[in-house]
Amino acid sequence: METVVSGIRSTGNLHLGNYFGALKNFIKMQHESNCYFFIADYHSLTTHPTPEDLHGSVKQVLSEYLACGLDPEVATIYLQSDVPEVTELYLLLNMNAYVGELERTTSFKDKVRKQPENVNAGLLTYPVLMAADIIIHNASKVPVGKDQEQNLEMARKFARRFNNIYKVDYFTEPQPYNFGQALIKVPGLDGTGKMGKSEGNGIFLFDDAKTIRKKVMRAVTDSGPTEKNQKMPEPIQNLFTIMDIVSEKETVDFFKEKYNQCEIRYGDMKKQLAEDIINFTTPIRERILEISSDDQYLSKVVKTGAEKARASASKTLKEVREIIGFKPFVTNQYEHTK
Ligand code: TYM
C-alpha cells in the first residue's frame, strides 16, 4: 500500500485554501492508503508564537482536522513535535543541504522581503524539515496545494541526494498529489494572489455566517464588463474560482452567462456565493465547537497518533543511521578483560 504524508502549520484557523488545496484530499486518501497527517507545529515556530498561542493553534487545527472528517481510526494523526525522530533526520539532511540552494527558494526570498527583521535559520532550512517530515515515513504521495510545489521539489532532491551519496536505493522520491489533476490554488478575496492565513483575505472554516457575508460582500470587484464575452479581470476570475469550488454547477453557469451577456450584478453573485460558503462551513463549524471542547478525546487522538508515527519514524531513523555509518559497538568485545 502506498504511503501518504502531509501536514498543515499551526498558525491559525484553517481557511478554504487549506481545505480545498489539502485537507479535502487527506480525507479522500485516508481510506485508500497508509496515511500520516500531522500538525506542523515546529514549522510554526519561525514566526515566534507565544506559548499560549502555540498550544491554542495546535488544538484548533487538530479539532478542525477531525471536524472535517479525518478519522484517527484509519489515518495516523499526530503532532510533528511528538516525533523527535523528525528532528534528527532534519539534522542529518541539513549536512547535505546547501545554503545557496536554500537561499534561492521562492518562499525564502518572499520571507526575506516581507519580514527582513526575522530572517532566522529555521526559515532558511524550512524545506529540509519538510523533507524530513515526508521521507521519515518514506512517503510516495503528498497531497498539497500549488504553493508547496517547490518545497516538494526540494524534498525529492534531498531524498535523491541521500540515495546518491550513500549509494543506496533507500528513500522514495515523494510526489505532490491531487488525484492526477493540477495542484490547486484558492485565491483570496482581495483581488490578487492566493488565500492565506496571514494575508487578511481568507474565509475560515470557523467563521460564522455573519462574518462570511461581510467578507464576501467586501470582496474586490469592478464596474462590470463592457463587451460581451469579455475576458475576466483577475478579481472577477477569483470570485468565479471560489464559486466553482463551493457552488452547484448551475449556479456558476448562471452567473457566467450573466457576465458574458454584460448583465451581471456582482451584488447578487456575492450574496449567492456567501450563502453557498455558509452552507458548506456551518456543519463543520458546529463540529469544531463540539470536538474542541472534548479535551479527553483530543488527548487520546494525539497519544495514539504519536505512538503510531514514532513506530514508523524510528524504524526509518534506525536504518538511516546504519546507512550513514553510525554502528553500535560490539558489546562482548571487552568481555575477556573482566
Ligand atoms: P500551510 O500550513 O501553509 O498550508 C497547508 C496546506 O494548505 C495548502 N494551501 C492552499 N492550497 C490551495 N490554495 C491556497 N490558497 C492554499 N493555502 C494553503 C498548502 O498548499 C498546504 O498543502 N510547509 C507546509 C506544511 C508542511 C508540510 C510538510 C506539508 C510542513 N511539512 C510535509 C506537506 C508535507 C505549509 O506551510 O503549509
Side-chain angles (χ1 to χ4, degrees), residues 92-106 124 127-132 134-135 139 142 148-166 168 170-176:
L92 299 172
L93 293 176
N94 264 327
M95 303 304 165
N96 300 312
Y98 294 99
V99 173
E101 64 188 343
L102 295 170
E103 280 173 341
R104 280 192 300 274
T105 59
T106 319
L124 183 69
V128 188
L129 180 55
M130 193 163 151
I134 300 168
I135 68 178
V142 187
Q148 297 298 317
E149 224 161 26
Q150 193 178 29
N151 282 334
L152 258 292
E153 204 181 300
M154 303 286 281
R156 284 197 297 283
K157 194 190 265 185
F158 297 138
R160 200 180 316 130
R161 195 172 288 162
F162 180 93
N163 289 347
N164 287 341
I165 290 172
Y166 295 104
V168 287
Y170 184 71
F171 284 124
T172 309
E173 290 185 27
Q175 303 294 334

Side-chain angles (χ1 to χ4, degrees), residues 5-9 11 15 17-22 26 38 40 43 80 126 129-130 133-134 142-148 151-152 184-187 194-197:
V5 168
S6 197
I8 299 185
R9 268 175 311 153
T11 42
H15 51 63
N18 297 132
Y19 183 84
F20 289 101
F26 298 3
F38 65 96
H43 274 113
Q80 186 185 32
Y126 188 107
L129 180 55
M130 193 163 151
D133 290 327
I134 300 168
V142 187
V144 282
K146 181 138 184 60
D147 59 310
Q148 297 298 317
N151 282 334
L152 258 292
I184 288 176
K185 175 177 125 183
V186 178
K194 70 164 179 137
M195 188 175 285
K197 283 181 203 151

